[in-house]
């Protein structure tokens, strides 16, 4: 562990290879998860200020993966039914409290089995999560289970061994996360190295969660072992984003708060998240389109035609020098 190379997104640059395509539009950014193909290896975070039902429906209809948040518990069953009636993928989140076991039973009884369930817990390397993975797999085995979050190879292995179909890596690298300062723990500041460490132990897909600040970080995540990346802050500022719109000094902003913030919890207990304002930045589809183009360009620099080409490129560690004082 003490010999583990420690770096984060801003410390890494990928090294270009000879280009083999004639146009970036030839590069294929599609990815498969749970037997379904998606346009981009990117999923908006399952947080209340990032995703709501209209966004989920938009993403599913347009070939993008989504994970609905778990904070409107009663809405989940009707949501699954509505999506499936429309022929769309149902992808929801659950916690680990006792009533969530009843909810899984309810899904089975109602024959409303979602294609994807994400077990969404701060400290996912836990017996409570292992029990829930096993219960879902016993009760509704056809559901693809994503479990997390973890930050170590042991965490990945234990959740995979319990039956998780994919694991989510990232403890505390999020933009509205305060876990690292409140507890002293996590992968904040070395998320990319933690991803690499975890990916080496994984035998199933990994979703890198938190800390993505630029579109180039998506390519870097894939280089270091992620199949998907989960992103909050870059999706928080859209016209469609569910967060409250706020005007300050004549500028438009959107609220973005942590799932463990007091704004989410409604009380100041075990708070590990905060609220920030994110600059309003137009429409969701514009960001998805730009991410797609940037990832196509990354694939061309990797010297390939698809995401697999990113997984083998060389890289250099350039400690904190990527910005060189620049900004986008
Ligand atoms: N990715 C990340 O770094 C983090 C993400 N979050 C997000 O915040 C939300 C709330 O998470 P969470 O608090 O887990 O959800 P819940 O409030 O639903 O807690 C789930 C269960 O786990 C218990 N629990 C929570 N944290 C711990 C812990 N550190 N040790 C032992 N038991 C624990 C809780 O009990 P009790 O509350 O009594 O301890 C509760 O029974 C989630 O959406 C999560 O993704 C939060 C922090 C970090
Ligand atoms: N420590 C906390 N982490 C949180 C909280 N709410 C969400 N999250 C995690 O952050 C990512 C999004 O990160 P970003 O850098 O892309 O903005 C999200 O998917 C969760 O894993 C929280 O309250 N505390």
């Amino acid at each position: 562990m003490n010999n583990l190379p420690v770096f984060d997104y801003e410390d890494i640059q990928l090294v270009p290879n000879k280009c083999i395509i004639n146009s970036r539009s030839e590069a294929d950014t599609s990815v498969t998860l749970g037997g379904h193909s998606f346009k981009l290896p990117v999923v908006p975070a399952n947080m209340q200020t990032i995703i709501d039902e209209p966004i989920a429906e938009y993403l599913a209809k347009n070939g993008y993966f989504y994970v609905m948040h778990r904070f409107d518990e009663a809405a989940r069953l009707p949501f699954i039914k509505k999506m499936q009636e429309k022929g769309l993928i149902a992808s929801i989140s659950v916690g680990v409290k006792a009533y969530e076991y009843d909810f899984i039973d309810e899904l089975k009884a109602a024959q409303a089995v979602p294609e994807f369930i994400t077990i969404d817990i701060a400290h996912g390397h836990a017996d409570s999560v292992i029990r829930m993975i096993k219960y879902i797999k016993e009760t509704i085995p056809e559901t693809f289970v994503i479990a997390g979050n973890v930050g170590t190879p042991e965490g990945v292995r234990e959740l995979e061994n319990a039956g998780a179909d994919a694991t989510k890596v990232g403890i505390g690298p999020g933009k509205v996360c305060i876990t690292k300062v409140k507890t002293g723990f996590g992968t904040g500041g070395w998320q990319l190295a933690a991803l690499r460490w975890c990916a080496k132990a994984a035998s199933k897909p990994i979703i890198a969660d938190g800390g993505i600040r630029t579109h180039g970080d998506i390519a870097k995540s894939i280089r270091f072992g992620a199949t998907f990346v989960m992103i909050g802050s870059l999706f928080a500022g859209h016209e469609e984003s569910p967060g409250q719109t706020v005007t300050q000094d004549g500028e438009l902003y959107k609220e973005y708060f942590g799932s463990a913030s007091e704004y989410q919890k409604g009380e100041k207990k075990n708070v590990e998240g905060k609220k920030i304002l994110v600059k309003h930045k137009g429409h969701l589809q514009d960001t998805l389109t730009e991410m797609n183009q940037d990832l196509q360009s990354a694939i061309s620099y990797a010297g390939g035609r698809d995401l697999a080409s990113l997984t083998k490129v060389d890289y250099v560690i350039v400690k904190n020098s990527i910005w060189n004082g620049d900004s986008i």
Side-chain angles (χ1 to χ4, degrees):
M1 169 89 222
N2 285 335
N3 294 324
L4 189 72
V6 171
F7 50 81
D8 212 341
Y9 289 102
E10 62 188 10
D11 306 319
I12 289 292
Q13 287 280 275
L14 304 176
V15 177
N17 282 321
K18 184 179 177 189
C19 181
I20 59 160
I21 51 180
N22 294 313
S23 160
R24 283 167 282 204
S25 60
E26 290 172 23
D28 179 6
T29 61
S30 69
V31 59
T32 299
L33 191 72
H36 297 271
S37 179
F38 301 101
K39 280 184 186 164
L40 269 183
V42 170
V43 59
N46 50 344
M47 299 166 70
Q48 207 173 312
T49 48
I50 300 298
I51 188 156
D52 58 8
E53 292 196 13
I55 292 178
E57 205 175 309
Y58 179 85
L59 292 170
K61 267 191 186 146
N62 288 282
Y64 299 100
F65 186 43
Y66 77 91
V67 179
M68 189 58 194
H69 66 73
R70 66 177 167 92
F71 303 109
D72 186 354
E73 285 160 357
R76 292 180 296 182
L77 180 52
F79 171 74
I80 294 167
K81 287 182 176 166
K82 186 180 77 178
M83 294 298 277
Q84 292 181 336
E85 269 161 27
K86 294 180 178 183
L88 301 173
I89 286 169
S91 172
I92 60 150
S93 304
V94 298
V96 294
K97 291 186 177 158
Y99 60 80
E100 295 287 48
Y101 289 81
D102 300 334
F103 175 59
I104 300 299
D105 293 343
E106 205 183 335
L107 296 183
K108 183 179 169 126
Q111 294 182 322
V113 174
E115 282 76 10
F116 294 88
I117 293 183
T118 297
I119 304 174
D120 171 36
I121 293 296
H123 189 5
H125 188 185
D127 284 335
S128 59
V129 172
I130 289 169
R131 274 194 300 274
M132 180 53 86
I133 294 169
K134 289 183 174 164
Y135 194 73
I136 296 172
K137 281 301 185 184
E138 273 162 31
T139 314
I140 44 173
E142 57 274 46
T143 292
F144 186 93
V145 174
I146 300 167
N149 278 18
V150 300
T152 61
E154 290 77 12
V156 170
R157 272 191 225 108
E158 279 206 54
L159 300 196
E160 284 188 351
N161 289 342
D165 299 297
T167 53
K168 201 140 66 69
V169 170
I171 305 284
K175 184 98 173 176
V176 287
C177 164
I178 54 172
T179 299
K180 50 190 174 282
V181 286
K182 295 264 280 181
T183 71
F185 281 83
T187 59
W190 62 291
Q191 167 69 2
L192 192 59
L195 169 64
R196 176 178 185 254
W197 193 35
C198 289
K200 282 178 185 286
S203 61
K204 297 175 185 175
I206 284 198
I207 300 176
D209 181 12
I212 300 283
R213 300 287 171 262
T214 67
H215 295 181
D217 294 346
I218 302 167
K220 291 176 189 177
S221 300
I222 292 167
R223 168 60 185 86
F224 286 96
T227 295
F228 255 89
V229 296
M230 178 170 265
I231 303 180
S233 58
L234 294 184
F235 284 113
H238 297 121
E239 183 63 35
E240 300 86 350
S241 303
Q244 197 90 6
T245 305
V246 174
T247 309
Q248 245 182 30
D249 302 326
E251 297 255 29
L252 276 185
Y253 295 87
K254 284 278 192 164
E255 281 186 358
Y256 174 39
F257 56 73
S259 304
S261 66
E262 67 177 291
Y263 307 95
Q264 181 75 65
K265 293 181 161 208
E267 61 175 339
K268 220 171 172 170
K269 183 168 177 277
N270 293 326
V271 165
E272 290 187 22
K274 63 181 178 182
K275 178 164 78 177
I276 62 170
L277 293 179
V278 173
K279 267 202 168 170
H280 188 286
K281 61 169 183 183
H283 291 283
L284 170 63
Q285 184 57 59
D286 296 338
T287 297
L288 291 168
T289 301
E290 192 181 331
M291 276 178 180
N292 189 72
Q293 290 170 358
D294 291 343
L295 198 52
Q296 286 184 312
S297 205
I299 289 169
S300 84
Y301 285 111
R305 299 178 185 283
D306 54 23
L307 294 175
S309 61
L310 288 168
T311 61
K312 298 208 167 51
V313 290
D314 285 334
Y315 66 91
V316 288
I317 299 182
V318 281
K319 272 283 169 197
N320 295 317
S321 63
I322 157 174
W323 289 108
N324 288 329
D326 295 342
S327 62
I328 287 181

